[in-house]
Amino acid sequence: MLSRTAENLFWLSRYVERAENMARLLEMGYRMALMPAAGDGNRSEWRSVLSAAGCAEGFDSDNTELSQATVSDYLIFNRDNPSSILNCFEYARANARAMRTAITQEMWEALNGALMELRKTSMRNLAKTNLPGFIDWVKSQGALFRGATDSTILRNDGFDFIRLGTFLERADNTARLLDVKYYVLLPETSMVGDGVDNYQWTTVLRAASSMRAFHWVYRDDYSPWRIAHFLILNPFSPRSLAHCMENITTHLERLARQYGQRQAVHSLAVDTYSILNHGDMDEIFSHGLHEFLSDCLQRYRALSEAIAETYYFGGQ
């Protein structure tokens, strides 16, 4: 496979996953803002979302007042925000068009249909008047694209690059969802363990679409320790860091067998997976959840750069 094609497939899936992940971050901010909060009130929830999304600096440069409406518009439609949902779908479609013959008709129609709908004025109105409805729509478009991919594309190296992009972006997002909780708690550590704190932890689960799956494993024990374990170390949780890294190592190993060579990126992925596979929540909380998640985000950036270097991506 040409390196340019591999790069486009990798980033195509990353952008679709990122659009959905931005919607999940918005869902967290929306649900948390419904509860009474200390300090700056619901302004802290939206500041937390911007910080976890890595968009706080860009938002502040516009000198816009912080509110649900302005943050939502920045994360959904702002053309100057490279991670806005609209830009993510635009970039994904551009990648798909660049290697149109490497994807199936069903994948193209799912992606193209989502972008055409998103460009309509009615979608901007929906985001303003019914943010939860809009968030559900974005998540459904991501699911539609993944379903079209899983059911139609050949299981060759192209599929491996698509999967690498999906799980690398998903791991990054799960870490950021958990980090929103850190940013919310930061001003008022006295809130730890009270009703608002417990509600915020369950909001993390809801944003990750993991409430039912969590209940199957831990029943009604919605303690921070259990929720963090489910989203970080539990290999059966579809959005956990451990599950994502297991899939990343699997698809890198498939590429190593197909191309007949292993390189530094494979060892880096195995080392990261080993940390999660042998991780202990007591040690993670003792060391600091935010510090642990920050280290994970750095490892994901290093993995992305190593994949690009190994397979000769030009960079996007």
Side-chain angles (χ1 to χ4, degrees):
M1 171 173 286
L2 293 174
S3 60
R4 186 64 181 170
T5 302
E7 180 184 15
N8 282 323
L9 290 171
F10 175 78
W11 278 103
L12 161 63
S13 58
R14 283 202 73 163
Y15 284 130
V16 173
E17 191 74 17
R18 186 173 299 178
E20 184 177 337
N21 293 338
M22 282 295 143
R24 294 181 185 279
L25 282 169
L26 278 169
E27 183 177 5
M28 273 201 69
Y30 177 80
R31 289 184 180 277
M32 287 187 177
L34 293 177
M35 290 291 290
D40 292 329
N42 63 21
R43 290 167 57 89
S44 66
E45 279 77 12
W46 293 110
R47 171 61 61 186
S48 303
V49 169
L50 287 170
S51 298
C55 298
E57 187 175 342
F59 180 86
D60 291 339
S61 66
D62 288 345
N63 294 317
T64 306
E65 182 182 358
L66 187 68
S67 68
Q68 174 182 316
T70 56
V71 173
S72 298
D73 191 73
Y74 186 77
L75 294 181
I76 297 171
F77 295 108
N78 194 297
R79 292 286 188 179
D80 294 329
N81 175 12
S83 295
S84 73
I85 291 173
L86 178 58
N87 275 340
C88 284
F89 275 112
E90 294 273 11
Y91 298 153
R93 184 169 175 267
N95 278 273
R97 174 175 281 179
M99 41 85 195
R100 181 69 181 81
T101 56
I103 64 174
T104 64
Q105 181 68 22
E106 289 80 2
M107 293 169 66
W108 170 257
E109 289 178 353
L111 186 57
N112 194 49
L115 179 59
M116 293 300 103
E117 189 70 19
L118 187 57
R119 285 174 173 172
K120 294 179 180 177
T121 307
S122 57
M123 292 305 288
R124 189 178 287 270
N125 292 333
L126 179 63
K128 286 181 179 177
T129 59
N130 183 8
L131 184 59
F134 177 83
I135 290 169
D136 287 342
W137 179 84
V138 175
K139 290 192 291 188
S140 70
Q141 299 309 303
L144 183 64
F145 175 78
R146 286 193 299 276
T149 302
D150 288 346
S151 58
T152 61
I153 199 167
L154 199 63
R155 266 42 178 179
N156 58 6
D157 48 352
F159 178 72
D160 292 317
F161 283 111
I162 288 175
R163 284 294 201 176
L164 280 177
T166 296
F167 284 108
L168 195 55
E169 190 69 29
R170 183 176 298 178
D172 182 280
N173 177 253
T174 298
R176 292 180 187 277
L177 283 175
L178 285 163
D179 226 15
V180 171
K181 188 67 187 71
Y182 162 80
Y183 282 113
V184 170
L185 270 181
L186 190 59
E188 295 289 341
T189 52
S190 60
M191 294 168 55
V192 175
D194 68 8
V196 175
D197 181 48
N198 292 334
Y199 176 83
Q200 290 171 343
W201 274 106
T202 57
T203 298
V204 178
L205 277 178
R206 292 184 190 280
S209 301
S210 299
M211 283 295 287
R212 181 61 62 87
F214 177 88
H215 183 74
W216 286 334
V217 179
Y218 301 116
R219 311 307 294 177
D220 295 326
D221 183 1
Y222 291 97
S223 63
W225 192 96
R226 293 292 189 193
I227 293 174
H229 180 270
F230 188 70
L231 293 177
I232 294 175
L233 301 180
N234 193 315
F236 302 107
S237 168
R239 304 193 74 85
S240 74
L241 305 188
H243 179 78
C244 291
M245 278 310 306
E246 181 181 17
N247 277 274
I248 289 169
T249 54
T250 296
H251 289 285
L252 281 172
E253 288 297 329
R254 279 171 49 94
L255 287 173
R257 288 196 298 271
Q258 291 178 71
Y259 296 157
Q261 56 182 343
R262 290 175 56 85
Q263 301 193 41
V265 66
H266 297 90
S267 299
L268 179 60
V270 170
D271 289 345
T272 304
Y273 178 47
S274 178
I275 291 173
L276 296 165
N277 199 29
H278 300 96
D280 181 89
M281 283 312 304
D282 290 333
E283 291 183 8
I284 291 174
F285 272 116
S286 176
H287 177 67
L289 180 60
H290 173 68
E291 287 71 19
F292 177 81
L293 295 172
S294 297
D295 179 67
C296 287
L297 290 173
Q298 289 180 2
R299 286 180 173 275
Y300 300 147
R301 278 193 292 272
L303 261 176
S304 182
E305 292 170 1
I307 290 171
E309 181 178 351
T310 301
Y311 298 106
Y312 308 106
F313 291 179
Q316 297 200 17

